[in-house]
Structure formats: structure tokens, C-alpha cells
Amino acid sequence: MSIVNAKRNMLEAPFLKQMMQATQNMWRLGWDERNGGNVSVILDEEEVAPYIEKGSAIRTISLDFPVPELAGKYFLVTASGSYFKNIIDNPEELLGIIQVADGGNELDIIWGFANGGKPTSELPSHFMSHIVRLEHDENHRVIMHNHATNVVAMTFTHELDEAAFTKSLWQMESECIIVFPDGVGLLPWMIPGTTEIGKETAKKMNEYRLVVWPHHGIFGTGSSIDDAFGLIETAEKAAQIYMLIHSHRGGVKQVITDDQLSVLAEAFGVIPKPGILQLTK
Ligand code: 13P
Ligand code: ZN
């Protein structure tokens, strides 16, 4: 479909409304203090076409991490420095639609980022993770980063071993193994906003849809905003329970056992990441 005759008001676009709602919810949940967190959503050309004039780039930004794999793709992205609290009232400044230019060395800003704004500082992690997730899932669309409080808290008190961390989350709530049977990836502490953390996050995305940055936050992925949000929400709830029970004076008296997790996974037709559960039978 061609993008000529674009007439509709972008503020009416369903994808924009969803982003405004989701970022507001993330802020209300306490995951996105100040400018914490960022979201990027792949938009199909057909979705964007009714709202923009083809070839109508507002400005162009160069990328110091070329992404030829994403050339031509459209993204709805949060602005660097955007307070999620304010996006709902000021989307045109705090959100933007970009298209990766031919060759993947530049971005065309198609809409938004009014007053000179630019995409999130975590764009390297978002773009590189999009590339990897698309290799594994053609329906992949969303990368969502935030500072989910209890997941971050857990990275101070729990050993930073992926299998052990995954199992602790699985044990906290019966939903967890069903929602993320592939587990949770963990990076060492790294400087945010860099190409290096982008590369390491993307490597983890080969195996995981959820990646934790210790003492910082979480990256969730999905086929929709709801899908990525739900994944983070489930891990964060489990981490909240973990933190609650581990600060309880009586200590932990019982957990969901490995055998129980195994029958649970079987009942819901998911395959838990191998090597985490130790079964007695
Ligand atoms: P941005 O405001 O640049 O998106 O950065 C926020 C953040 O969470 C960095 O990790
Ligand atoms: Zn962050």
C-alpha cells in the first residue's frame, strides 16, 4: 500500500493510544520514575500509511550502530528523557515515529519528537534486540524496558545465576512457568545506553524474551504492547512475592516444588527451559 494521500490525525491512531496508555500504566505501577524506561514498537507500513505523507521526513538522525537489517522499518519510540507520567498529555513531544533509512545508517523522523527531541538513549539495545527477536519470531513487534522495582530489588539479594533466578521466579506463582517457560536472561552490570550493552542484551534475546539488567531494570519483548507488558508484569509480581517472603521474619516455609512445576508445565503444554528443574521422578 502506498503512503500518498495521508490525511488522518496521528493522535487518533490506535497504536499511539495504546502506547500512551501503556506508558501511563507503567508510571502508575512505579516502574518508570522520572525518565526511566523506554518502549519501541514496530509499525507495519499499512498501519502508518493513513497518517503520514510518504517522503515527509521532519529531520534525519545518524546512527553510530548501523542496522541494515531494519532498513525501511517504521517504529513508534519513546523520546530520550521523556517522563512517562507526561506522555499521555504530550505525545507529540515525548513520542516519535521513525523510519530506518536505506542502508541502516540513518533514521528519518516521520512524526513527533517536537522541540528537537530524539529517540531513547537505549535505542542500540532496542534495535539489536528487535533484529534478534524477529529472527526467532516473525510476529515479534515490541521491546519494553523499565525499572520494575521488585525485579531490580531481587538483583541485590538473589544470586545472579540465570537458572537459579528463573527457578526462584517460577516458584513464586503458578503463572510464571506458563508465561515464561523460556526463563529469564541476566547480564552482568553494565553501563546503560551503550552499543556494548545493546549487543549483550541482543545476544540474550536468542534464548530469552525477558532480560534483566542487574541493579537497573528489565527488558521484555512481545508481539504486542500487551504481550510485552504482561510478561514484565508477571515477572515483577513474582519478584514482589519473592521480596515479600524473604523479608518476612518467619522465613520461607514452602515453595512450589520442581516436581509440581513440571506437572504444571505439562498440564499447560509448555516446555520449561532444560537444566533448571531437578525432578525426583
Ligand atoms: P531514556 O530517557 O533515554 O529512554 O533513558 C531512560 C532509561 O531507562 C535508561 O536506561
Ligand atoms: Zn533504564
Side-chain angles (χ1 to χ4, degrees), residues 174-182 209 227 230-232 234-235 270:
S174 301
E175 285 300 302
C176 288
I177 199 167
I178 302 160
V179 176
F180 50 95
D182 43 349
R209 291 168 300 142
D227 192 26
L231 198 52
I232 293 178
T234 308
V270 296

Side-chain angles (χ1 to χ4, degrees), residues 137 139-142 221-225 227-228:
D137 176 10
N139 295 318
H140 162 83
R141 291 289 178 275
V142 177
T221 74
S223 56
S224 65
I225 287 184
D227 192 26

Side-chain angles (χ1 to χ4, degrees), residues 72-224:
K73 286 205 181 302
Y74 291 90
F75 295 85
L76 172 61
V77 189
T78 53
S80 186
S82 57
Y83 283 35
F84 276 22
K85 171 171 73 75
N86 299 338
I87 290 178
I88 202 146
D89 293 320
N90 195 6
E92 199 149 356
E93 184 174 332
L94 303 179
L95 298 175
I97 294 176
I98 53 181
Q99 185 182 23
V100 180
D102 288 346
N105 289 303
E106 290 182 331
L107 296 178
D108 288 332
I109 297 178
I110 305 292
W111 178 89
F113 296 141
N115 301 324
K118 55 179 197 225
T120 171
S121 59
E122 302 294 2
L123 203 61
S125 289
H126 282 249
F127 273 180
M128 292 179 205
S129 296
H130 277 300
I131 292 168
V132 173
R133 288 311 311 163
L134 281 169
E135 283 167 11
H136 294 274
D137 176 10
E138 61 177 359
N139 295 318
H140 162 83
R141 291 289 178 275
V142 177
I143 302 285
M144 185 176 277
H145 164 63
N146 63 46
H147 302 166
T149 316
N150 291 283
V151 170
V152 176
M154 217 174 134
T155 65
F156 290 87
T157 61
H158 195 285
E159 63 181 302
L160 294 179
D161 172 81
E162 285 172 343
F165 203 92
T166 296
K167 185 146 93 180
S168 290
L169 291 176
W170 284 354
Q171 286 176 325
M172 294 301 107
E173 248 212 295
S174 301
E175 285 300 302
C176 288
I177 199 167
I178 302 160
V179 176
F180 50 95
D182 43 349
V184 178
L186 275 171
L187 289 188
W189 183 88
M190 294 179 76
I191 300 172
T194 58
T195 305
E196 287 67 40
I197 202 169
K199 284 185 187 158
E200 294 307 314
T201 306
K203 265 192 225 162
K204 291 290 179 193
M205 293 290 178
N206 278 302
E207 269 184 80
Y208 302 102
R209 291 168 300 142
L210 271 177
V211 176
V212 171
W213 288 0
H215 322 323
H216 181 143
I218 191 164
F219 270 75
T221 74
S223 56
S224 65

Side-chain angles (χ1 to χ4, degrees), residues 9 23 31-32 58 66 88 109 111 121 156 163 219 222 233 243 261 263 271:
N9 179 358
T23 46
W31 303 342
D32 296 273
I58 301 166
I88 202 146
I109 297 178
W111 178 89
S121 59
F156 290 87
F219 270 75
E233 198 175 27
M243 294 311 295
L261 285 169
V263 293
I271 300 169

